[in-house]
């Protein structure tokens, strides 16, 4: 059997992806589940995080969000039996590549896949679902009547976050990075027949760089500001210090602090966020919080295992009832996985890439 791995010869060097012939699987351990993989979603690999938590290896397995059929179970496995359809995310320290026909997974990383959910949707939604739940339920408490700003709402994560926030009764505002994204967001509707009201109350098109996000949000909320902000990165410095065109479209950290309401929550994906004393003072005056979104936390502590599995089950239930409708690209055959992973690693994919077996 072949499996896809990521190779980085030296720090700072561009990583490459290689198919390796792997030996036969070891015997199934007591708590292991042998899974025949039917679909595997591709996600960006954070090599810096892996080196920081001492998980760097010469060959890193690629592909962690999988769906498939149980072939065999260890003697202490209680959750599953052969022929069950399952979905899950392989842990950070997994030796297994999800881009392999048959893998071994500990039962505590899997949940059952509903029959009406297809393999590709299950694998393609599970990671963005976990991120959305982490942001909106655990780092903030989304509830009816709250206003949520989702930056880059047309991204795979943004789409699921919008759908979860709206389902919980929140009013959603979103930013769009292109005309195509704006049109996509304006077409989003709830799954209930007969309801024509859009999921997003206001789409702010920032593609031309002329629209002030803070001003638009304050206008939409009657000057009160938004309760929850999910960013997609922020501009840390002045415009001349930012190099890429994408970073030109990001809001400045001061804009986000300005548009936050009293008691608001700012959920950031910017791991190098720096707040100056005046920024902290403004947040203090508003009684606002800043939280960092790292969805890997669930598997870094066994204490969270029960909550984590209930999140996975809830994601599948919402996928089954069409509350979640993911932003997926066409399924990709395994032989194109290497090229697709290179695109994902360069952050050039606008839709979630899923390999179908």
């Amino acid at each position: 059997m072949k499996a896809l791995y990521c190779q980085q010869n030296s720090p700072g060097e561009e990583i490459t992806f290689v198919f390796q012939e792997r030996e036969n699987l070891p015997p199934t351990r007591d708590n292991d589940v042998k899974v025949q993989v039917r679909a595997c979603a591709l996600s960006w690999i954070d090599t810096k995080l892996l080196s920081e938590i001492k998980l760097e290896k010469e060959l890193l397995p690629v592909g962690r969000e999988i769906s498939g059929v149980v072939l065999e179970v260890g003697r202490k496995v209680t959750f599953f039996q052969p022929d069950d359809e399952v979905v899950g995310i392989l842990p950070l320290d997994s030796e297994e590549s999800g881009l392999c026909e048959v893998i071994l997974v500990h039962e505590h990383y899997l949940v059952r896949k509903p029959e009406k959910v297809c393999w590709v949707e299950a694998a393609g939604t599970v990671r963005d679902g976990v991120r959305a739940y982490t942001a909106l339920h655990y780092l903030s408490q989304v509830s009816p009547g709250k206003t949520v700003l989702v930056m880059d709402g047309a991204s795979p994560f943004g789409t699921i976050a919008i759908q979860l926030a709206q389902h919980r009764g929140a009013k959603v505002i979103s930013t769009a990075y292109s005309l195509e994204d704006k049109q996509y967001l304006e077409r989003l509707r709830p799954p209930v027949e007969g309801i024509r009201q859009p999921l997003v109350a206001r789409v702010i098109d920032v593609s031309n760089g002329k629209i002030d996000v803070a001003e638009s949000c304050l206008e939409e909320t009657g000057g009160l500001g938004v309760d929850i902000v999910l960013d997609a990165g922020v501009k840390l410095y002045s415009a001349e210090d930012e190099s890429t065109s994408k970073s030109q479209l990001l809001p400045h950290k001061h804009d986000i602090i300005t548009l936050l309401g009293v008691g608001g929550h700012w959920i950031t994906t910017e791991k190098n966020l720096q707040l100056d004393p005046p920024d902290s003072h403004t947040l203090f005056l508003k009684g606002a919080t800043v939280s960092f979104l790292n969805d890997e936390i669930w598997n870094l502590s066994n204490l969270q295992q029960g909550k984590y599995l209930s999140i996975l089950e809830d994601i599948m239930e919402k996928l089954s009832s069409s509350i979640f409708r993911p932003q997926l690209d066409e399924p990709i055959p395994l032989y194109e996985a290497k090229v697709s992973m290179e695109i994902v690693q360069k952050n050039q994919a606008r839709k979630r890439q899923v390999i179908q077996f």
Side-chain angles (χ1 to χ4, degrees):
M1 287 185 295
K2 283 187 175 177
L4 189 66
Y5 293 88
C6 151
Q7 196 169 27
Q8 188 175 28
N9 298 322
S10 58
E13 193 177 302
E14 195 171 312
I15 61 178
T16 54
F17 297 96
V18 291
F19 274 111
Q20 291 270 21
E21 198 67 46
R22 59 171 295 175
E23 299 166 13
N24 291 333
L25 286 176
T28 308
R29 291 177 300 234
D30 286 353
N31 293 102
D32 278 353
V33 177
K34 186 185 278 189
V35 178
Q36 181 178 14
V37 180
R38 291 295 179 84
C40 176
L42 304 180
S43 293
W44 183 74
I45 297 170
D46 191 342
T47 50
K48 192 164 184 283
L49 173 68
L50 290 168
S51 70
E52 283 169 353
I53 59 176
K54 307 289 186 285
L55 287 178
E56 216 173 15
K57 293 181 279 221
E58 189 183 336
L59 286 174
L60 288 168
V62 173
R64 291 173 52 210
E65 303 92 73
I66 58 109
S67 59
V69 180
V70 175
L71 297 176
E72 187 186 324
V73 297
R75 63 188 183 89
K76 289 186 180 175
V77 171
T78 55
F79 293 170
F80 307 105
Q81 53 192 26
D83 297 327
D84 280 350
E85 297 182 351
V86 294
V87 59
I89 303 175
L90 304 181
L92 268 176
D93 60 355
S94 173
E95 301 285 334
E96 300 280 350
S97 163
L99 291 164
C100 184
E101 288 176 13
V102 180
I103 60 172
L104 288 175
V105 192
H106 193 288
E107 67 169 333
H108 289 165
Y109 297 115
L110 299 169
V111 294
R112 280 194 176 82
K113 177 187 79 66
E115 205 173 309
K116 64 187 285 191
V117 174
C118 74
W119 304 111
V120 169
E121 282 194 345
T125 309
V126 66
R127 157 118 16 224
D128 294 316
V130 168
R131 297 191 83 207
Y133 267 82
T134 306
L136 293 173
H137 280 286
Y138 292 94
L139 299 179
S140 62
Q141 283 75 47
V142 69
S143 57
K146 292 202 171 178
T147 306
V148 179
L149 170 63
V150 179
M151 301 288 189
D152 191 14
S155 66
F157 166 60
T159 299
I160 297 296
I162 286 170
Q163 291 164 356
L164 180 60
Q166 197 277 339
H167 176 68
R168 289 286 185 250
K171 175 184 178 179
V172 182
I173 303 169
S174 183
T175 58
Y177 288 165
S178 67
L179 179 60
E180 189 184 354
D181 286 357
K182 181 173 185 282
Q183 291 168 344
Y184 168 76
L185 290 169
E186 287 172 344
R187 287 195 306 268
L188 281 177
R189 294 286 184 275
V192 183
E193 280 186 37
I195 297 182
R196 301 306 303 152
Q197 185 184 353
L199 283 185
V200 184
R202 179 162 180 170
V203 180
I204 305 166
D205 185 357
V206 296
S207 58
N208 60 13
K210 293 175 184 173
I211 304 289
D212 188 315
V213 175
E215 199 176 290
S216 300
C217 288
L218 290 170
E219 183 186 302
E220 185 65 32
T221 57
L224 295 174
V226 302
D227 300 298
I228 300 169
V229 178
L230 267 65
D231 74 32
V234 292
K235 208 183 286 185
L236 298 175
Y237 314 106
S238 57
E240 57 268 20
D241 297 327
E242 301 283 356
S243 52
T244 64
S245 58
K246 173 78 181 290
S247 63
Q248 296 290 344
L249 301 177
L250 295 175
H252 197 280
K253 58 183 177 180
H254 301 313
D255 294 333
I256 293 183
I257 293 168
T258 301
L259 63 83
L260 260 183
V262 172
H265 300 277
W266 174 11
I267 317 297
T268 184
T269 56
E270 182 54 65
K271 62 183 79 171
N272 297 316
L273 180 69
Q274 291 176 296
L275 294 176
D276 302 317
D279 300 332
S280 299
H281 187 64
T282 306
L283 289 167
F284 166 75
L285 291 174
K286 292 187 176 190
T289 62
V290 179
S291 301
F292 292 87
L293 178 55
N294 174 12
D295 51 289
E296 300 294 356
I297 55 166
W298 296 106
N299 286 325
L300 295 178
S301 166
N302 290 336
L303 286 172
Q304 306 288 347
Q305 204 68 44
K307 280 184 189 173
Y308 175 64
L309 289 177
S310 69
I311 290 172
L312 295 187
E313 286 170 352
D314 214 39
I315 292 164
M316 287 303 113
E317 185 271 319
K318 285 184 171 46
L319 199 52
S320 178
S321 56
S322 298
I323 290 164
F324 285 166
R325 284 151 293 144
Q327 173 81 303
L328 305 179
D329 219 332
E330 290 297 314
I332 302 159
L334 182 59
Y335 63 82
E336 288 182 15
K338 187 169 170 287
V339 176
S340 297
M341 194 58 216
E342 285 166 358
I343 293 168
V344 168
Q345 195 64 22
K346 289 172 184 170
N347 283 321
Q348 292 173 348
R350 282 300 287 160
K351 294 182 179 180
R352 179 67 65 208
Q353 308 290 300
V354 185
I355 305 300
Q356 187 170 29
F357 288 75

